[in-house]
Amino acid sequence: LFLNVMMVINGGCWPVDKVHGQPLCMEQYRWVFGTTRIPEPGCDRTVRNDKASRHIVAMARDQLYRIEVFRPDGSRYPVGDIEDQLRAAVHHAASLRAEDLCPAVGVLTGGSRDMWAEAYAELTADPTNKAVLDLVKEANFVVCLDDTITLPADSIDIAQLTTRHHATDPGHNRWFDKTVCLVIDRNGVAGVCGEHSPCEALVPAIIYSRVMAEASLEKHAIRKGVLFARSAESPRLAANPQHLRFARTSPDIAHRIRAAENEIAIIAANSTSVSYHHLTYGADWIKRVAKTSPDAFVQMALQLAYRRLHRAIAPTYETASSRRFLHGRTETIRAATSEAAAFIEAMDDRRKSPDQKYQLLAAAYNRHARITRECSTGQGIDRHLLGLKIAYTRLAKDLAPEDRQVIEAFFSDPVFVESQTWRLSTSNLTICPHFIHTGFGAPVTERGYGINYILENNVLKFGIDSKTPEAGKGSNVYEFRKSLQKALDDMYLLCQEVNSTHKHITKSHM
């Protein structure tokens, strides 16, 4: 199914996304498949394979295998044949003695980019190694076949364990430079590890959501053994995956791999990620009873949860799409407005009546809605400021000293710097009922959180990431989850009291 969707997108037949009837730029879809981030000194480079690739790359025990998935005429091989190749790759990797394994070069993709750039330059100097790296670069995507078993299979926190790291070896059996790494463990738990630079998260989320919806419709076929059946008129493809072997590598490469392992292990040990599914209500109730947009409502809940936990207002980043413009990507919705601050302060003020609190919520919603419209129509401020900053770095040498002093004073102003210290970095994904967990790292270490959320009709889903309390100097995803639950429950009761006579509240699920 994933390959079928890829063929539809590459063939230019994917339906155009629209918002309020207005078409959106579809350029980012072209960067999901066959795209790789190439490490280079100073700044990486993202490349896309413009020629139709016939293969994917499978990883097992850190070994790389070229799996042919398309015939020379461009048609896809039957799923059963592809399954045979994947199984053969796993069996081959399992049969290798430790001394016969190729070095775990993929680990380098998760460590220091400058160190990986140096190693990449050394590896590509050898023709055999360059050929291996070129095949990885040209692959449509990577499938990471883990030999671990993740239990329990029905836990809402389970998917993030699969995508975060490989069992007790963080960073292994992954190629983080590929835009798409499908991750599958031995009990069938699956997830996706995505390289974010080529496209915003919503684009691949839409793709994965469609794939999972179609897969859900075919569960009966899997049970009956039909899904993996081969076409009677199609000759069976020999299960002969190509093991991509690196040539002899230097001790320096081995040293860099060990250094990357240590670096990734520390990052993994210092990072935490949890899911939270709020089952009391969803977007339908918010629109019907709270009478606000679901996105603005949840943003106010996040603000309230952070304020109660850390006794501070959090500079907040929320993604706004600018895809109504050609090659548009994102703008920043600054959700921490003065109206939002007034509302969250009032929520714990016993002197304020429910009607007063609700009016402040309405004011915060109206301000948030206005900012969202501005950001989506090219009237945001952060991308403009970023452009000015980039322009200054390129033109500074030609400016008079007094002009440079004025500009540098602006960009180093404490208020400006603090306003871009995103202690809450948030993103609203599309409705994806089949998604269990989504998430990304917090951009700010100290008391910072990265939060993905999905607003379904009857449930609100959150993926909450941060550093450990020690590494994050007070960050705590578990306490934040509790604070968020209470914020959502309190806002429920407030809106029920003001706008409805129904006051029943059910238990949320953590």
Side-chain angles (χ1 to χ4, degrees):
L1 293 174
F2 197 67
L3 289 170
N4 290 347
V5 168
M6 185 188 77
M7 293 170 68
V8 171
I9 292 173
N10 290 345
C13 299
W14 188 266
V16 175
D17 295 338
K18 293 183 179 180
V19 172
H20 303 306
Q22 297 297 314
L24 303 180
C25 177
M26 301 296 287
E27 171 68 13
Q28 290 185 49
Y29 281 90
R30 299 177 60 236
W31 287 85
V32 175
F33 302 103
T35 304
T36 310
R37 183 169 174 167
I38 303 299
E40 293 189 350
C43 182
D44 288 350
R45 178 170 52 94
T46 301
V47 297
R48 182 182 63 210
N49 183 18
D50 291 325
K51 298 179 180 178
S53 176
R54 292 175 52 195
H55 72 278
I56 63 174
V57 164
M59 296 188 71
R61 295 186 69 192
D62 289 309
Q63 306 304 290
L64 301 166
Y65 294 87
R66 180 182 182 274
I67 306 293
E68 196 167 289
V69 292
F70 293 110
R71 300 184 181 93
D73 64 2
S75 61
R76 180 176 61 77
Y77 281 113
V79 175
D81 288 350
I82 298 173
E83 181 191 12
D84 284 348
Q85 292 199 77
L86 293 171
R87 183 181 290 109
V90 171
H91 288 168
H92 181 270
S95 70
L96 293 174
R97 299 175 300 177
E99 58 268 28
D100 295 328
L101 293 170
C102 287
V105 174
V107 174
L108 292 168
T109 66
S112 163
R113 299 306 295 178
D114 288 337
M115 183 170 64
W116 175 214
E118 294 170 358
Y120 193 89
E122 179 180 334
L123 288 168
T124 52
D126 180 281
T128 300
N129 293 338
K130 183 179 184 304
V132 169
L133 293 171
D134 283 347
L135 284 171
V136 175
K137 179 176 63 177
E138 294 163 4
N140 290 298
F141 53 88
V142 169
V143 178
C144 306
L145 302 168
D146 289 356
D147 55 12
T148 54
I149 296 177
T150 310
L151 296 173
D154 60 346
S155 167
I156 64 171
D157 285 335
I158 208 63
Q160 61 93 7
L161 295 177
T162 306
T163 55
R164 176 180 163 204
H165 58 71
H166 180 63
T168 56
D169 297 319
H172 279 263
N173 214 48
R174 302 287 185 270
W175 200 273
F176 293 110
D177 286 354
K178 291 298 288 186
T179 303
V180 174
C181 280
L182 299 179
V183 181
I184 306 170
D185 73 2
R186 289 177 61 192
N187 74 345
V189 171
V192 180
C193 182
E195 207 290 289
H196 203 342
S197 61
C199 55
E200 60 176 298
L202 183 58
V203 169
I206 292 172
I207 295 172
Y208 305 147
S209 182
R210 173 165 166 175
V211 170
M212 295 175 73
E214 293 185 6
S216 179
L217 295 175
E218 297 190 2
K219 282 185 177 179
H220 66 283
I222 297 175
R223 295 191 188 98
K224 295 179 180 179
V226 175
L227 186 60
F228 297 128
R230 296 169 182 82
S231 173
E233 64 275 8
S234 173
R236 181 165 181 160
L237 176 68
N240 187 29
Q242 178 187 357
H243 185 200
L244 303 179
R245 294 194 61 88
F246 288 96
R248 184 183 298 275
T249 55
S250 70
D252 191 48
I253 295 294
H255 171 75
R256 287 192 173 102
I257 291 175
R258 288 193 297 271
E261 286 175 334
N262 293 334
E263 181 183 356
I264 297 169
I266 292 172
I267 293 173
N270 289 339
S271 303
T272 54
S273 179
V274 297
S275 294
Y276 173 49
H277 292 184
H278 193 79
L279 303 181
T280 303
Y281 57 89
D284 279 353
W285 177 89
I286 296 173
K287 288 182 285 189
R288 178 171 45 84
V289 178
K291 303 185 187 303
T292 70
S293 83
D295 180 72
F297 186 94
V298 167
Q299 281 291 330
M300 295 309 112
L302 293 172
Q303 294 283 318
L304 180 58
Y306 192 98
R307 171 68 176 81
R308 286 173 168 176
L309 181 60
H310 294 297
R311 304 300 176 191
I313 304 295
T316 304
Y317 171 95
E318 182 189 357
T319 303
S321 175
S322 56
R323 287 176 53 211
R324 67 178 61 193
F325 300 100
L326 180 65
H327 295 178
R329 180 147 173 178
T330 64
E331 178 55 273
T332 302
I333 300 172
R334 290 175 168 265
T337 62
S338 56
E339 290 83 354
F343 164 69
I344 63 178
E345 293 290 347
M347 279 297 290
D348 293 324
D349 186 347
R350 295 182 179 180
R351 296 169 298 178
K352 292 288 194 298
S353 69
D355 283 336
Q356 289 174 314
K357 293 177 181 180
Y358 181 78
Q359 290 303 317
L360 290 171
L361 171 61
Y365 153 65
N366 289 331
R367 178 69 184 278
H368 187 273
R370 192 185 81 196
I371 294 174
T372 300
R373 287 193 299 271
E374 291 172 348
C375 290
S376 298
T377 55
Q379 300 177 67
I381 63 171
D382 282 275
R383 299 301 176 263
H384 176 67
L385 291 170
L386 175 63
L388 290 176
K389 194 169 187 178
I390 292 174
Y392 171 67
T393 60
R394 297 179 179 179
L395 300 173
K397 64 180 184 301
D398 299 322
L399 298 177
E402 57 272 20
D403 292 334
R404 290 201 300 270
Q405 185 177 6
V406 171
I407 296 172
E408 289 170 3
F410 171 78
F411 285 118
S412 61
D413 183 276
V415 174
F416 177 78
V417 173
E418 179 62 22
S419 77
Q420 294 191 313
T421 305
W422 309 117
R423 301 191 190 279
L424 276 180
S425 180
T426 70
S427 182
N428 180 1
L429 287 179
T430 185
I431 297 178
C432 307
H434 301 286
F435 283 19
I436 298 173
H437 176 89
T438 59
F440 51 84
V444 175
T445 298
E446 184 174 348
R447 298 189 302 280
Y449 300 86
I451 301 177
N452 253 167
Y453 54 95
I454 299 172
L455 311 180
E456 297 182 14
N457 290 337
N458 298 303
V459 62
L460 307 174
K461 296 179 179 179
F462 299 86
I464 308 169
D465 295 70
S466 77
K467 296 302 180 185
T468 61
E470 297 76 20
K473 298 182 180 180
S475 301
N476 192 317
V477 292
Y478 302 102
E479 291 302 318
F480 189 92
R481 181 165 63 179
K482 291 179 184 178
S483 185
L484 176 60
Q485 176 185 353
K486 188 175 188 312
L488 290 167
D489 288 346
D490 288 349
M491 291 172 65
Y492 174 95
L493 293 173
L494 171 67
C495 295
Q496 286 287 107
E497 182 173 358
V498 173
N499 295 332
S500 171
T501 59
H502 177 63
K503 300 182 181 180
H504 176 67
I505 186 166
T506 60
K507 184 180 180 181
S508 300
H509 175 46
M510 285 193 278

